[in-house]
Coordinates of all heavy atoms in Angstrom, one line a residue:
M1 N 86.7 108.7 115.8 CA 86.7 110.2 115.6 C 86.6 110.5 114.1 O 87.2 109.8 113.3 CB 88.1 110.7 116.1 CG 88.2 112.2 115.7 SD 89.7 113.2 116.5 CE 91.0 112.1 116.4
L2 N 85.8 111.5 113.8 CA 85.6 111.9 112.4 C 86.2 113.2 112.3 O 86.0 114.1 113.1 CB 84.1 112.0 112.1 CG 83.3 110.7 112.3 CD1 81.8 111.0 112.1 CD2 83.7 109.7 111.3
N3 N 87.0 113.3 111.1 CA 87.6 114.6 110.9 C 87.6 114.9 109.5 O 88.5 114.4 108.7 CB 89.0 114.6 111.4 CG 89.8 115.9 111.4 OD1 89.2 117.0 111.0 ND2 91.1 116.0 111.7
G4 N 86.6 115.7 109.0 CA 86.6 116.0 107.6 C 86.4 114.7 106.7 O 85.6 113.9 106.9
G5 N 87.4 114.5 105.9 CA 87.6 113.3 105.0 C 88.1 112.2 105.6 O 88.3 111.2 105.0
F6 N 88.5 112.1 106.9 CA 89.1 111.0 107.5 C 88.3 110.3 108.7 O 87.5 111.1 109.2 CB 90.4 111.4 108.1 CG 91.4 111.7 107.1 CD1 91.5 113.1 106.6 CD2 92.4 110.9 106.6 CE1 92.5 113.4 105.6 CE2 93.3 111.1 105.6 CZ 93.3 112.4 105.2
I7 N 88.5 109.1 109.0 CA 87.9 108.4 110.0 C 89.0 107.7 110.9 O 89.9 107.3 110.2 CB 86.9 107.4 109.6 CG1 86.2 106.8 110.8 CG2 87.4 106.4 108.7 CD1 85.0 105.9 110.4
Q8 N 88.9 107.8 112.1 CA 89.9 107.1 113.1 C 89.1 106.5 114.2 O 88.3 107.2 114.8 CB 90.9 108.1 113.4 CG 91.9 107.5 114.4 CD 92.9 108.5 115.0 OE1 93.2 109.5 114.2 NE2 93.4 108.4 116.2
F9 N 89.4 105.2 114.5 CA 88.9 104.7 115.7 C 89.9 103.6 116.3 O 90.7 102.9 115.5 CB 87.5 104.2 115.7 CG 87.1 103.2 114.6 CD1 87.5 101.8 114.8 CD2 86.7 103.6 113.5 CE1 87.1 100.9 113.9 CE2 86.4 102.7 112.5 CZ 86.7 101.4 112.6
K10 N 89.8 103.4 117.5 CA 90.7 102.5 118.4 C 89.8 101.5 119.0 O 88.8 101.9 119.7 CB 91.6 103.2 119.2 CG 92.6 102.6 119.9 CD 93.4 103.6 120.6 CE 94.7 102.9 121.3 NZ 95.4 103.9 122.1
T11 N 90.0 100.2 118.8 CA 89.2 99.1 119.6 C 90.1 98.4 120.6 O 91.4 98.3 120.3 CB 88.5 98.3 118.6 OG1 89.5 97.6 117.8 CG2 87.6 99.0 117.8
G12 N 89.6 97.7 121.6 CA 90.3 96.9 122.4 C 90.8 97.6 123.7 O 90.8 98.9 123.8
S13 N 91.2 96.8 124.7 CA 91.8 97.5 125.9 C 93.3 97.0 126.2 O 94.1 97.8 126.2 CB 90.9 97.1 127.1 OG 90.7 95.8 127.2
L14 N 93.4 95.7 126.3 CA 94.7 95.1 126.5 C 95.5 95.0 125.1 O 96.7 95.4 125.0 CB 94.8 93.8 127.1 CG 94.1 93.7 128.5 CD1 94.1 92.3 129.0 CD2 95.0 94.5 129.4
Q15 N 94.8 94.5 124.0 CA 95.4 94.5 122.7 C 94.6 95.4 121.9 O 93.4 95.2 121.6 CB 95.3 93.2 122.3 CG 96.0 93.1 120.8 CD 96.0 91.7 120.3 OE1 95.5 90.6 121.0 NE2 96.5 91.4 119.1
T16 N 95.1 96.6 121.6 CA 94.4 97.6 120.8 C 94.7 97.5 119.3 O 95.8 97.1 118.9 CB 94.7 99.0 121.3 OG1 96.0 99.3 121.1 CG2 94.4 99.1 122.7
T17 N 93.7 98.0 118.5 CA 93.8 98.0 117.1 C 93.2 99.4 116.7 O 92.3 99.9 117.1 CB 92.9 96.9 116.4 OG1 93.2 95.6 116.9 CG2 93.1 97.0 114.9
M18 N 94.1 100.1 115.8 CA 93.7 101.4 115.4 C 93.4 101.3 114.0 O 94.0 100.7 113.1 CB 94.9 102.4 115.6 CG 94.4 103.8 115.0 SD 95.5 105.1 115.6 CE 95.1 105.2 117.3
F19 N 92.3 102.0 113.4 CA 91.8 102.0 112.1 C 91.8 103.5 111.7 O 91.2 104.2 112.4 CB 90.5 101.4 112.0 CG 89.8 101.4 110.6 CD1 90.2 100.6 109.6 CD2 88.9 102.4 110.3 CE1 89.7 100.7 108.3 CE2 88.3 102.5 109.1 CZ 88.7 101.6 108.1
V20 N 92.5 103.8 110.7 CA 92.5 105.1 110.1 C 92.2 105.0 108.6 O 92.9 104.1 107.8 CB 93.8 105.8 110.3 CG1 93.8 107.3 109.7 CG2 94.1 105.9 111.8
S21 N 91.3 105.8 108.0 CA 91.0 105.7 106.5 C 90.5 107.1 106.1 O 89.9 107.8 106.9 CB 90.0 104.6 106.4 OG 89.7 104.4 105.0
K22 N 90.5 107.2 104.7 CA 90.0 108.3 104.0 C 88.6 108.0 103.7 O 88.3 106.9 103.4 CB 90.8 108.7 102.8 CG 92.1 109.2 103.1 CD 92.8 109.6 101.6 CE 94.2 110.0 101.9 NZ 94.8 110.5 100.6
R23 N 87.7 109.0 103.7 CA 86.3 108.6 103.4 C 86.2 108.1 102.0 O 85.3 107.1 101.7 CB 85.4 110.0 103.5 CG 84.1 109.7 103.1 CD 83.1 110.9 103.5 NE 83.6 112.1 103.2 CZ 83.4 113.2 103.8 NH1 82.5 113.3 104.7 NH2 84.0 114.4 103.5
K24 N 86.9 108.5 101.1 CA 86.8 108.0 99.7 C 87.3 106.5 99.5 O 86.8 105.9 98.5 CB 87.6 109.0 98.7 CG 89.0 109.0 98.8 CD 89.7 109.9 97.8 CE 91.2 110.0 98.0 NZ 91.8 110.9 97.0
K25 N 87.9 106.1 100.5 CA 88.3 104.7 100.5 C 87.3 103.7 101.2 O 87.4 102.4 101.0 CB 89.7 104.4 101.2 CG 90.8 105.2 100.5 CD 91.2 104.5 99.3 CE 92.5 105.1 98.8 NZ 92.9 104.5 97.5
V26 N 86.4 104.3 101.8 CA 85.2 103.5 102.6 C 84.3 103.1 101.5 O 83.7 104.0 100.8 CB 84.6 104.3 103.7 CG1 83.6 103.4 104.4 CG2 85.8 104.5 104.8
I27 N 84.1 101.9 101.3 CA 83.1 101.4 100.2 C 81.7 101.3 100.8 O 80.7 101.6 100.1 CB 83.5 100.0 99.8 CG1 84.8 100.0 99.1 CG2 82.5 99.5 98.7 CD1 85.5 98.6 98.8
E28 N 81.5 100.8 102.1 CA 80.2 100.5 102.6 C 80.2 100.8 104.1 O 81.2 100.4 104.8 CB 79.9 99.1 102.3 CG 78.6 98.5 102.8 CD 78.3 97.2 102.6 OE1 78.9 96.6 101.5 OE2 77.6 96.5 103.3
V29 N 79.1 101.3 104.6 CA 79.0 101.5 106.1 C 77.5 100.9 106.3 O 76.5 101.3 105.6 CB 78.9 103.0 106.5 CG1 78.5 103.2 107.9 CG2 80.4 103.5 106.3
E30 N 77.4 100.0 107.3 CA 76.1 99.4 107.6 C 75.9 99.6 109.1 O 76.8 99.3 110.0 CB 76.1 98.0 107.3 CG 74.8 97.3 107.8 CD 74.9 95.8 107.6 OE1 76.0 95.3 107.3 OE2 73.7 95.1 107.8
V31 N 74.8 100.2 109.6 CA 74.6 100.3 111.0 C 73.4 99.4 111.3 O 72.4 99.4 110.7 CB 74.2 101.8 111.4 CG1 73.8 101.9 112.8 CG2 75.4 102.7 111.1
S32 N 73.6 98.5 112.3 CA 72.6 97.5 112.8 C 72.4 97.7 114.3 O 73.2 98.1 115.0 CB 73.0 96.1 112.4 OG 74.1 95.8 113.0
R33 N 71.2 97.2 114.7 CA 70.8 97.2 116.1 C 70.1 95.9 116.5 O 69.1 95.6 115.9 CB 70.0 98.4 116.5 CG 70.6 99.8 116.3 CD 69.7 100.9 116.5 NE 70.4 102.2 116.4 CZ 70.3 103.0 115.4 NH1 69.6 102.7 114.3 NH2 70.9 104.1 115.4
S34 N 70.6 95.3 117.6 CA 69.9 94.1 118.0 C 68.8 94.6 119.0 O 68.7 95.8 119.3 CB 70.8 93.1 118.8 OG 71.3 93.8 119.9
R35 N 68.0 93.8 119.5 CA 66.9 94.2 120.3 C 67.5 94.8 121.7 O 67.0 95.8 122.1 CB 65.9 93.0 120.7 CG 65.0 92.6 119.5 CD 64.2 91.4 120.0 NE 63.4 91.0 118.8 CZ 62.5 90.0 118.9 NH1 62.3 89.4 120.0 NH2 61.8 89.7 117.9
L36 N 68.5 94.1 122.2 CA 69.1 94.6 123.4 C 69.8 96.0 123.2 O 69.6 96.8 124.0 CB 70.1 93.6 123.9 CG 70.8 94.0 125.2 CD1 69.8 94.2 126.3 CD2 71.9 92.9 125.7
Q37 N 70.5 96.0 122.0 CA 71.2 97.3 121.7 C 70.1 98.4 121.6 O 70.4 99.6 122.0 CB 71.9 97.2 120.5 CG 73.2 96.4 120.6 CD 74.0 96.3 119.3 OE1 73.3 96.1 118.3 NE2 75.4 96.5 119.3
K38 N 68.9 98.2 121.1 CA 67.9 99.2 120.8 C 67.5 99.7 122.3 O 67.3 100.9 122.5 CB 66.7 98.7 120.2 CG 66.9 98.6 118.5 CD 65.6 98.0 118.0 CE 65.8 97.8 116.5 NZ 64.6 97.3 115.8
Q39 N 67.3 98.7 123.1 CA 66.9 99.1 124.5 C 67.9 100.0 125.2 O 67.6 100.8 126.0 CB 66.6 97.8 125.3 CG 65.3 97.1 124.9 CD 65.1 95.9 125.7 OE1 66.0 95.3 126.2 NE2 63.9 95.3 125.5
L40 N 69.1 99.7 124.9 CA 70.3 100.4 125.6 C 70.8 101.6 124.8 O 71.6 102.2 125.3 CB 71.4 99.4 125.9 CG 71.2 98.2 126.7 CD1 72.4 97.2 126.8 CD2 70.8 98.6 128.1
G41 N 70.1 101.9 123.7 CA 70.6 103.0 122.9 C 72.0 102.8 122.2 O 72.8 103.8 122.0
L42 N 72.2 101.6 121.8 CA 73.5 101.3 121.2 C 73.4 100.7 119.7 O 72.2 100.4 119.4 CB 74.3 100.2 122.0 CG 74.6 100.6 123.5 CD1 75.2 99.4 124.2 CD2 75.5 101.8 123.5
S43 N 74.5 100.7 119.0 CA 74.4 100.2 117.6 C 75.7 99.4 117.3 O 76.8 99.5 118.0 CB 74.3 101.3 116.6 OG 73.2 102.1 116.9
T44 N 75.8 98.7 116.2 CA 76.9 98.1 115.7 C 77.2 98.7 114.3 O 76.3 98.8 113.6 CB 76.8 96.5 115.6 OG1 76.6 96.0 116.9 CG2 78.0 95.9 114.9
I45 N 78.5 99.1 114.1 CA 78.8 99.6 112.7 C 79.8 98.7 112.0 O 80.8 98.2 112.5 CB 79.5 101.1 112.9 CG1 78.7 102.0 113.7 CG2 80.1 101.6 111.6 CD1 79.4 103.3 114.1
N46 N 79.3 98.3 110.8 CA 80.2 97.5 109.9 C 80.7 98.4 108.8 O 79.9 99.0 108.1 CB 79.4 96.3 109.4 CG 79.0 95.3 110.5 OD1 79.8 94.8 111.2 ND2 77.6 95.1 110.6
M47 N 82.0 98.4 108.6 CA 82.6 99.2 107.5 C 83.4 98.3 106.6 O 84.1 97.3 107.0 CB 83.5 100.2 108.0 CG 82.8 101.3 108.9 SD 83.8 102.5 109.6 CE 83.9 103.5 108.2
V48 N 83.4 98.6 105.4 CA 84.2 97.9 104.4 C 85.1 99.0 103.7 O 84.6 100.0 103.2 CB 83.3 97.2 103.2 CG1 84.2 96.5 102.3 CG2 82.4 96.2 103.9
N49 N 86.4 98.7 103.7 CA 87.3 99.7 103.3 C 88.2 99.1 102.0 O 88.5 98.0 102.0 CB 88.4 100.0 104.4 CG 89.2 101.2 104.0 OD1 88.7 102.2 103.7 ND2 90.6 101.1 104.2
R50 N 88.2 100.0 101.0 CA 88.9 99.5 99.8 C 90.3 99.6 100.0 O 91.0 100.6 100.2 CB 88.5 100.5 98.6 CG 89.1 100.0 97.3 CD 88.8 101.1 96.2 NE 89.1 102.4 96.7 CZ 88.6 103.5 96.1 NH1 87.8 103.4 95.1 NH2 89.0 104.7 96.5
S51 N 91.0 98.3 100.1 CA 92.4 98.2 100.2 C 92.8 96.9 99.6 O 91.8 96.2 99.0 CB 92.7 98.3 101.6 OG 92.1 97.3 102.4
K52 N 93.9 96.4 99.7 CA 94.4 95.1 99.2 C 94.9 94.3 100.4 O 96.0 94.7 100.8 CB 95.4 95.3 98.0 CG 94.9 95.9 96.7 CD 95.9 96.0 95.7 CE 95.3 96.5 94.4 NZ 96.2 96.6 93.4
P53 N 94.2 93.4 100.8 CA 92.9 93.0 100.5 C 91.9 93.9 101.2 O 92.1 94.7 102.0 CB 92.8 91.5 101.1 CG 93.7 91.6 102.3 CD 94.8 92.5 101.9
V54 N 90.6 93.8 100.7 CA 89.5 94.5 101.1 C 89.4 94.3 102.6 O 89.6 93.3 103.2 CB 88.2 94.1 100.5 CG1 87.1 94.8 101.2 CG2 88.2 94.4 99.1
H55 N 89.3 95.4 103.5 CA 89.3 95.4 104.9 C 87.9 95.6 105.5 O 87.3 96.5 105.2 CB 90.3 96.5 105.4 CG 90.4 96.4 106.8 ND1 89.8 97.1 107.8 CD2 91.4 95.7 107.7 CE1 90.3 97.0 109.0 NE2 91.2 96.0 108.9
H56 N 87.5 94.6 106.4 CA 86.1 94.7 106.9 C 86.4 95.0 108.4 O 87.2 94.4 109.1 CB 85.4 93.4 106.9 CG 85.0 92.9 105.5 ND1 83.8 93.2 105.0 CD2 85.7 92.4 104.5 CE1 83.7 92.8 103.8 NE2 84.9 92.3 103.4
T57 N 85.7 96.0 108.9 CA 85.9 96.4 110.4 C 84.5 96.5 111.1 O 83.6 97.0 110.4 CB 86.5 97.8 110.4 OG1 87.7 97.8 109.8 CG2 86.7 98.2 111.9
T58 N 84.4 96.0 112.2 CA 83.2 96.0 113.0 C 83.3 96.7 114.4 O 84.3 96.4 115.0 CB 82.6 94.6 113.3 OG1 82.3 94.0 112.0 CG2 81.3 94.7 114.1
I59 N 82.5 97.7 114.7 CA 82.6 98.3 116.0 C 81.3 98.0 116.7 O 80.2 98.4 116.1 CB 82.9 99.9 115.8 CG1 83.9 100.2 114.9 CG2 83.1 100.5 117.2 CD1 83.9 101.6 114.4
K60 N 81.4 97.4 117.8 CA 80.2 97.0 118.5 C 79.8 98.0 119.6 O 80.7 98.6 120.3 CB 80.3 95.6 119.2 CG 80.5 94.6 118.0 CD 80.5 93.2 118.6 CE 80.7 92.1 117.4 NZ 80.6 90.8 118.0
D61 N 78.6 98.1 120.0 CA 78.1 98.8 121.1 C 78.4 100.2 121.1 O 79.0 100.8 122.1 CB 78.5 98.2 122.5 CG 77.9 96.8 122.6 OD1 76.9 96.5 122.0 OD2 78.6 95.9 123.2
V62 N 78.3 100.9 120.0 CA 78.5 102.4 119.8 C 77.2 103.2 120.1 O 76.1 102.6 119.7 CB 78.9 102.6 118.3 CG1 79.1 104.2 118.1 CG2 80.1 101.9 118.0
P63 N 77.2 104.2 120.8 CA 76.0 105.1 121.0 C 75.3 105.4 119.8 O 76.0 105.6 118.8 CB 76.5 106.2 121.8 CG 77.9 105.9 122.4 CD 78.4 104.9 121.4
E64 N 74.0 105.3 119.8 CA 73.2 105.6 118.6 C 73.6 107.0 117.9 O 73.6 107.0 116.7 CB 71.7 105.7 119.0 CG 71.1 104.2 119.0 CD 69.6 104.3 119.2 OE1 69.0 104.9 118.3 OE2 69.2 103.8 120.2
L65 N 73.9 108.0 118.7 CA 74.2 109.3 118.1 C 75.5 109.3 117.4 O 75.6 109.8 116.2 CB 74.3 110.3 119.2 CG 73.0 110.7 119.9 CD1 73.2 111.7 121.1 CD2 72.0 111.3 118.9
M66 N 76.4 108.4 117.9 CA 77.7 108.2 117.2 C 77.5 107.5 115.9 O 78.0 107.8 114.8 CB 78.7 107.5 118.0 CG 80.0 107.3 117.4 SD 81.1 108.8 117.2 CE 81.6 109.0 118.8
A67 N 76.7 106.4 115.9 CA 76.4 105.6 114.7 C 75.7 106.5 113.6 O 76.1 106.4 112.5 CB 75.5 104.4 115.1
D68 N 74.8 107.4 114.1 CA 74.2 108.3 113.1 C 75.2 109.3 112.5 O 75.1 109.5 111.3 CB 73.1 109.0 113.7 CG 71.9 108.0 114.0 OD1 71.8 107.0 113.5 OD2 71.1 108.4 115.0
A69 N 76.1 109.7 113.3 CA 77.2 110.6 112.8 C 78.0 109.9 111.8 O 78.4 110.5 110.8 CB 78.0 111.1 114.0
Y70 N 78.4 108.7 112.0 CA 79.2 107.9 111.1 C 78.4 107.7 109.7 O 78.9 107.9 108.6 CB 79.6 106.4 111.6 CG 80.8 106.6 112.4 CD1 80.6 106.5 113.8 CD2 82.0 106.6 111.9 CE1 81.8 106.5 114.7 CE2 83.2 106.5 112.7 CZ 83.0 106.6 114.1 OH 84.1 106.6 114.9
R71 N 77.1 107.4 109.9 CA 76.3 107.2 108.6 C 76.3 108.6 107.8 O 76.4 108.6 106.7 CB 74.9 106.7 109.0 CG 74.1 106.5 107.7 CD 72.6 106.2 108.0 NE 72.5 105.0 108.9 CZ 71.8 105.0 110.1 NH1 71.3 106.2 110.5 NH2 71.7 103.9 110.8
T72 N 76.0 109.7 108.5 CA 76.0 111.0 107.9 C 77.3 111.3 107.2 O 77.4 111.9 106.1 CB 75.6 112.1 108.9 OG1 74.3 111.7 109.5 CG2 75.5 113.4 108.3
W73 N 78.4 111.0 107.9 CA 79.7 111.2 107.4 C 80.0 110.4 106.1 O 80.5 111.0 105.2 CB 80.8 110.8 108.4 CG 82.2 110.8 108.0 CD1 83.0 111.9 108.0 CD2 83.0 109.7 107.5 NE1 84.2 111.5 107.5 CE2 84.2 110.3 107.2 CE3 82.7 108.5 107.4 CZ2 85.2 109.4 106.8 CZ3 83.6 107.6 106.8 CH2 85.0 108.1 106.6
Y74 N 79.5 109.2 106.1 CA 79.7 108.4 104.9 C 78.8 108.9 103.8 O 79.2 108.9 102.6 CB 79.3 106.9 105.2 CG 79.4 106.0 104.0 CD1 80.6 105.7 103.4 CD2 78.2 105.5 103.4 CE1 80.7 104.9 102.4 CE2 78.3 104.7 102.3 CZ 79.4 104.5 101.8 OH 79.5 103.5 100.6
I75 N 77.6 109.3 104.1 CA 76.7 109.8 103.0 C 77.4 111.0 102.3 O 77.2 111.2 101.0 CB 75.3 110.2 103.5 CG1 74.5 108.9 103.9 CG2 74.5 111.0 102.6 CD1 73.3 109.2 104.7
K76 N 78.2 111.8 103.0 CA 78.8 113.0 102.4 C 79.9 112.6 101.4 O 80.5 113.3 100.8 CB 79.4 113.9 103.5 CG 78.3 114.7 104.2 CD 78.8 115.5 105.2 CE 77.8 116.3 105.9 NZ 78.3 117.3 106.9
R77 N 80.1 111.2 101.3 CA 81.2 110.7 100.4 C 80.9 111.1 99.0 O 81.9 111.1 98.2 CB 81.3 109.1 100.6 CG 82.1 108.5 99.8 CD 82.1 106.9 100.0 NE 83.1 106.2 99.2 CZ 82.8 105.7 98.1 NH1 81.6 105.7 97.6 NH2 83.7 105.0 97.4
T78 N 79.6 111.3 98.6 CA 79.2 111.6 97.4 C 79.9 112.9 96.9 O 80.2 113.1 95.7 CB 77.8 111.7 97.1 OG1 77.2 112.7 98.1 CG2 77.1 110.3 97.4
E79 N 80.3 113.8 97.8 CA 81.1 115.0 97.4 C 82.5 114.7 97.0 O 83.0 115.4 96.5 CB 80.9 115.9 98.6 CG 79.6 116.3 99.1 CD 79.6 117.0 100.4 OE1 80.7 117.2 100.9 OE2 78.4 117.3 100.8
D80 N 83.1 113.5 97.6 CA 84.4 113.2 97.3 C 84.7 112.3 96.0 O 85.8 112.3 95.6 CB 85.1 112.5 98.5 CG 85.0 113.4 99.7 OD1 84.9 114.5 99.7 OD2 85.1 112.7 100.8
I81 N 83.7 111.7 95.6 CA 83.9 110.7 94.4 C 83.6 111.4 93.1 O 82.7 112.2 93.1 CB 83.2 109.4 94.7 CG1 81.7 109.6 94.8 CG2 83.7 108.7 95.9 CD1 80.8 108.4 94.8
E82 N 84.1 110.9 92.2 CA 84.0 111.3 90.8 C 83.4 110.1 90.0 O 84.0 109.1 90.2 CB 85.1 111.9 90.1 CG 85.5 113.2 90.7 CD 86.8 113.7 90.0 OE1 87.1 113.4 88.9 OE2 87.5 114.6 90.7
I83 N 82.3 110.2 89.3 CA 81.8 109.1 88.4 C 82.2 109.4 87.0 O 81.9 110.5 86.5 CB 80.3 109.0 88.5 CG1 80.0 108.7 90.0 CG2 79.8 107.9 87.6 CD1 78.5 108.8 90.3
E84 N 82.8 108.5 86.3 CA 83.3 108.6 84.9 C 82.1 108.4 84.0 O 81.3 107.5 84.2 CB 84.3 107.5 84.6 CG 85.6 107.8 85.2 CD 86.7 106.7 84.8 OE1 86.5 106.0 83.8 OE2 87.7 106.6 85.4
K85 N 81.9 109.2 83.0 CA 80.9 109.1 82.1 C 81.5 108.2 80.9 O 82.5 108.6 80.3 CB 80.4 110.4 81.6 CG 79.7 111.2 82.6 CD 79.3 112.6 82.1 CE 78.6 113.3 83.2 NZ 78.2 114.6 82.7
T86 N 80.8 107.3 80.5 CA 81.2 106.4 79.4 C 80.4 106.6 78.2 O 79.1 106.8 78.3 CB 81.2 104.9 79.9 OG1 79.9 104.5 80.3 CG2 82.1 104.6 80.9
S87 N 80.9 106.6 77.0 CA 80.1 106.8 75.8 C 79.7 105.3 75.4 O 80.4 104.4 75.4 CB 80.8 107.4 74.8 OG 82.0 106.8 74.5
I88 N 78.5 105.2 74.8 CA 78.0 103.9 74.4 C 78.2 103.8 72.9 O 78.0 104.6 72.1 CB 76.5 103.7 74.8 CG1 76.5 103.6 76.3 CG2 76.0 102.4 74.2 CD1 75.1 103.5 76.9

C-alpha cells in the first residue's frame, strides 16, 4: 500500500512479514520481469531501505500496474530529499 510518503506491504501466508518505511529512507527500487512474468503481466520489485543494517526487500509476482505505481512513487522521492551544496 502506498500512502503519500509511506510504503507498507505484507508478504507470506502462514508466516507473514510486514514492511513499513518512509519514502525518504528508500535508497533504491528496481522492477524486473522474467519472460514468464511478462506473459502473465507480473513483475518483481526489489527495494533497498536505508537502515542499520541496510534492508533489502523483494516482492515477487506483483501486477505490472502495481509495480509501475511503486516506481512512480519512488521517483517522487526527489521532492522529499535535500541535496547539500558544498563549496570547493
Side-chain angles (χ1 to χ4, degrees):
M1 171 171 38
L2 299 173
N3 185 7
F6 291 89
I7 184 171
Q8 172 184 330
F9 55 85
K10 191 174 179 180
T11 59
S13 56
L14 296 176
Q15 181 179 359
T16 60
T17 303
M18 179 165 295
F19 175 79
V20 179
S21 182
K22 294 180 180 181
R23 179 171 37 210
K24 66 182 181 180
K25 296 288 185 178
V26 177
I27 300 170
E28 180 181 332
V29 172
E30 176 187 11
V31 176
S32 59
R33 294 177 177 101
S34 68
R35 288 182 185 179
L36 179 60
Q37 284 178 323
K38 284 180 185 179
Q39 291 176 345
L40 298 174
L42 302 172
S43 302
T44 297
I45 302 173
N46 295 304
M47 299 179 78
V48 180
N49 194 49
R50 183 181 53 196
S51 60
K52 291 183 181 180
V54 173
H55 187 262
H56 295 262
T57 304
T58 300
I59 314 168
K60 295 182 180 181
D61 300 329
V62 176
E64 281 185 53
L65 292 175
M66 179 70 78
D68 291 340
Y70 277 99
R71 185 185 303 124
T72 301
W73 173 84
Y74 178 70
I75 290 170
K76 290 184 180 178
R77 177 179 184 264
T78 56
E79 299 168 2
D80 296 340
I81 60 174
E82 294 180 19
I83 299 174
E84 290 183 14
K85 294 182 181 180
T86 58
S87 58
I88 297 176

